């Protein structure tokens, strides 16, 4: 300590937050897997002829987008599948940028398994809310899951 100023000048450096998070969760395998699944499904849709910029609602529904009349009448899988379908390249790019940044941090904080649970439950919650709010629109995207990740980080 510098006695003239009272300031401690010999502060021991501890591990950084990044180092601690790296020790907690070695790999962000879930985030990387989700990125791969989302991008891969988008590419599959593109190879099948779906527009990269402006897919039609019919194309989105054909690939599993959330649409109340189908979802509520025996096709409940759409609540899940719709979280991997994106309405154009810009939608995909923005969601994947958010997933990469928020997901990597959240996965390191919460661990792989709990992070996967947060993502899936938040995605399903977003899909359920969408079909409840307006069952007659087509909805798709990872936004509900990503907002859930953001909420978990705030918590």
């Amino acid at each position: 300590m510098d006695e003239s100023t009272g300031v401690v000048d010999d502060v021991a450096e501890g591990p950084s937050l990044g180092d601690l998070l790296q020790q907690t969760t070695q790999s962000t395998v879930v985030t990387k897997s989700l990125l791969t699944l989302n991008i891969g499904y988008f590419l599959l849709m593109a190879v099948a002829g779906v527009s990269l910029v402006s897919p039609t609602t019919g194309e989105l529904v054909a690939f599993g987008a959330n649409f109340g009349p189908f979802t509520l009448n025996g096709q409940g899988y759409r609540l899940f599948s719709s979280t991997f379908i994106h309405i154009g390249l810009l939608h995909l790019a923005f969601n994947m940028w958010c997933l990469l940044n928020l997901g990597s941090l959240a996965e390191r904080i919460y661990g792989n398994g709990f992070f996967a649970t947060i993502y899936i439950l938040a995605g399903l919650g977003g899909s359920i809310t969408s079909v409840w709010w307006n069952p007659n629109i087509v909805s798709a995207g990872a936004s509900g899951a990503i907002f859930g990740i953001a909420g978990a980080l705030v918590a």
Side-chain angles (χ1 to χ4, degrees):
M1 175 155 65
D2 183 342
E3 295 194 22
S4 65
T5 62
V7 176
V8 177
D9 57 0
D10 250 354
V11 177
E13 290 288 324
S16 70
L17 177 60
D19 292 337
L20 292 173
L21 291 175
Q22 178 69 31
Q23 291 171 7
T24 303
T25 304
Q26 296 293 316
S27 172
T28 57
V29 66
V30 176
T31 299
K32 292 172 187 169
S33 297
L34 291 168
L35 286 164
T36 301
L37 287 170
N38 278 282
I39 294 168
Y41 203 70
F42 187 80
L43 293 174
L44 176 71
M45 291 172 61
V47 167
V50 175
S51 170
L52 295 174
V53 178
S54 185
T56 68
T57 55
E59 291 169 332
L60 295 169
V61 170
F63 276 89
N66 195 8
F67 181 53
F70 294 165
T71 303
L72 299 172
N73 289 298
Q75 296 180 16
Y77 67 87
R78 291 177 179 277
L79 295 172
F80 181 72
S81 63
S82 65
T83 63
F84 294 95
I85 298 170
H86 288 82
I87 306 170
L89 189 56
L90 186 60
H91 185 214
L92 175 73
F94 184 71
N95 273 349
M96 294 307 97
W97 176 74
C98 291
L99 176 58
L100 178 63
N101 288 284
L102 298 176
S104 296
L105 177 59
E107 187 171 1
R108 292 218 187 274
I109 291 171
Y110 288 108
N112 306 112
F114 194 61
F115 170 73
T117 302
I118 292 168
Y119 185 90
I120 291 168
L121 291 179
L124 290 172
S127 294
I128 290 167
T129 302
S130 178
V131 82
W132 170 78
W133 188 266
N134 190 346
N136 295 316
I137 64 164
V138 173
S139 64
S143 299
I146 292 167
F147 277 109
I149 293 168
L153 287 171
V154 170

